[in-house]
Amino acid sequence: MSEKVAIIASNGGLFDAYKVFNIATAAASMDQEVAIFFTFEGLNLIHKEANKQLPMPEGKEHFAEGFAKANVPSIPDILAMAQELGVKLIGCQMTMDVMGLGEEVFVDGIEVGGAVTFLQFAKDADVTLTF
């Protein structure tokens, strides 16, 4: 049985996205089962439009040049890589309802579920992380 990695993504900035997707794709490439639960601002990471323009932390704008020089993939690209590697993407139903967001505004292939959906996966995870 493969190891399981459970990640909660509750923040919606550019650095948060790289933390979430770097860990998720690394684990998935090591044949680990990975699920990410996106809630509150974390939903921006899987939003079709918002994930193309995630905010750089204030005062960190100089990192943009470094990302370009290091050929770091864009968030939509690294998200697509995560999906290709089989990372399970769960959008929080309650947060979507509170924010008035339908499934159609998110990238294809997400699962919509509540905390119970995530907890069923996370209850026997080997690694749990929150970003």
Side-chain angles (χ1 to χ4, degrees):
M1 186 167 136
S2 69
E3 291 186 358
K4 293 173 87 174
V5 177
I7 301 170
I8 297 174
S10 60
N11 293 300
L14 184 64
F15 285 12
D16 302 302
Y18 280 116
K19 292 176 211 174
V20 167
F21 292 127
N22 281 337
I23 296 292
T25 56
S29 70
M30 296 169 55
D31 293 325
Q32 296 177 7
E33 192 178 348
V34 182
I36 308 170
F37 185 68
F38 298 89
T39 187
F40 295 102
E41 287 85 9
L43 285 170
N44 286 337
L45 310 187
I46 55 171
H47 189 281
K48 286 178 186 173
E49 296 305 317
N51 76 4
K52 296 175 187 168
Q53 51 196 3
L54 297 173
M56 180 80 69
E58 195 169 318
K60 303 291 185 190
E61 294 82 6
H62 61 281
F63 278 94
E65 188 177 326
F67 279 116
K69 282 184 178 177
N71 292 319
V72 175
S74 69
I75 295 306
D77 288 345
I78 199 169
L79 169 58
M81 289 170 26
Q83 289 181 291
E84 288 169 18
L85 289 165
V87 173
K88 183 181 207 175
L89 309 173
I90 306 167
C92 178
Q93 179 70 66
M94 181 198 73
T95 307
M96 290 169 62
D97 291 348
V98 166
M99 297 175 131
L101 299 171
E103 192 173 340
E104 70 280 353
V105 302
F106 298 101
V107 297
D108 293 337
I110 71 160
E111 178 180 334
V112 176
V116 171
T117 302
F118 179 71
L119 290 170
Q120 288 172 334
F121 177 88
K123 68 180 170 42
D124 57 355
D126 300 284
V127 177
T128 55
L129 302 165
T130 302
F131 294 102

